[in-house]
Amino acid sequence: MAEQGNVFVIIIGYILAILESFPLGLIFGILLYVIKSDNEYYKQHAKYMIIISIVLTVIVLVFFGGMILSLMGMSASSSSSAPV
């Protein structure tokens, strides 16, 4: 296991990919993929981190983006119907 790479770096990467998917998780995965490109162990896990970060970012944008847009629409409609 020690010859494959440092497991602590991989654990930190997955935590960042799940909890802080954009931008920290994505950037960490890309940096790990680029900097440690000679080590297949890091490269494989970096791919998974990037995929997890992108998927979670899309999920958050779909669910919370719709909520934010609807709240913006409600505030815009309430301000436009206010008497002048």
Side-chain angles (χ1 to χ4, degrees):
M1 185 65 111
E3 68 276 354
Q4 290 181 342
N6 192 355
V7 180
F8 185 69
V9 173
I10 302 300
I11 293 171
I12 295 294
Y14 279 118
I15 290 172
L16 285 175
I18 292 170
L19 296 180
E20 186 63 41
S21 58
F22 185 79
L24 289 180
L26 185 63
I27 291 171
F28 188 84
I30 291 171
L31 287 176
L32 190 63
Y33 188 82
V34 171
I35 292 174
K36 298 288 187 176
S37 61
D38 56 338
N39 192 336
E40 269 311 304
Y41 181 71
Y42 285 128
K43 206 169 185 178
Q44 176 188 9
H45 286 285
K47 289 179 198 176
Y48 294 140
M49 289 176 210
I50 293 168
I51 291 169
I52 290 170
S53 296
I54 291 172
V55 168
L56 287 177
T57 301
V58 168
I59 289 172
V60 166
L61 288 177
V62 166
F63 286 116
F64 293 116
M67 187 185 328
I68 291 169
L69 287 177
S70 67
L71 289 174
M72 285 174 53
M74 289 174 28
S75 67
S77 65
S78 66
S79 65
S80 64
S81 64
V84 178

